[in-house]
Amino acid sequence: NKSFCEDLTEGKFSFPVIHCIRSNPEDTRLQNILKQRTEDLALKKYALQVMLETDSLQYSRNTVATLRQQLHAAIATVGPNPLLASVV
């Protein structure tokens, strides 16, 4: 089971975290929180707010949707494959 903002607790550079950091390199708030590997819920909520300020979560959702569409198109080019399409 994953906990709330577990990537922060584990100090992992997840896709939204990377986007947030790259969106505003001068802002080191998220990097500082990530270094702490915190389990503090209030601090995690603050980090989430930082990511929302840069639209990192929406960017991640949009990227996943785009990749999913591209994957379906790639599957279609090699012929119908219902089993593979169901996994995507």
Side-chain angles (χ1 to χ4, degrees):
N1 285 341
K2 294 284 185 178
S3 64
F4 178 71
C5 291
E6 191 170 286
D7 50 347
L8 300 176
T9 302
E10 295 175 352
K12 291 184 179 177
F13 285 85
S14 63
F15 191 74
V17 168
I18 292 169
H19 177 269
C20 183
I21 292 169
R22 286 186 173 177
S23 293
N24 191 359
E26 298 82 29
D27 185 350
T28 60
R29 293 178 294 170
L30 189 57
Q31 292 176 41
N32 293 335
I33 294 169
L34 200 62
K35 288 176 189 176
Q36 294 178 37
R37 296 178 179 243
T38 186
E39 293 187 18
D40 182 277
L41 185 58
L43 191 53
K44 287 182 176 185
K45 287 181 179 181
Y46 178 73
L48 180 60
Q49 186 59 40
V50 172
M51 287 189 274
L52 290 171
E53 290 172 10
T54 58
D55 291 323
S56 295
L57 300 178
Q58 187 59 48
Y59 177 81
S60 297
R61 282 190 286 272
N62 292 345
T63 300
V64 168
T66 298
L67 291 172
R68 186 171 186 265
Q69 290 173 348
Q70 291 173 353
L71 192 51
H72 278 290
I75 291 169
T77 62
V78 296
N81 189 329
L83 181 60
L84 186 56
S86 71
V87 173
V88 176

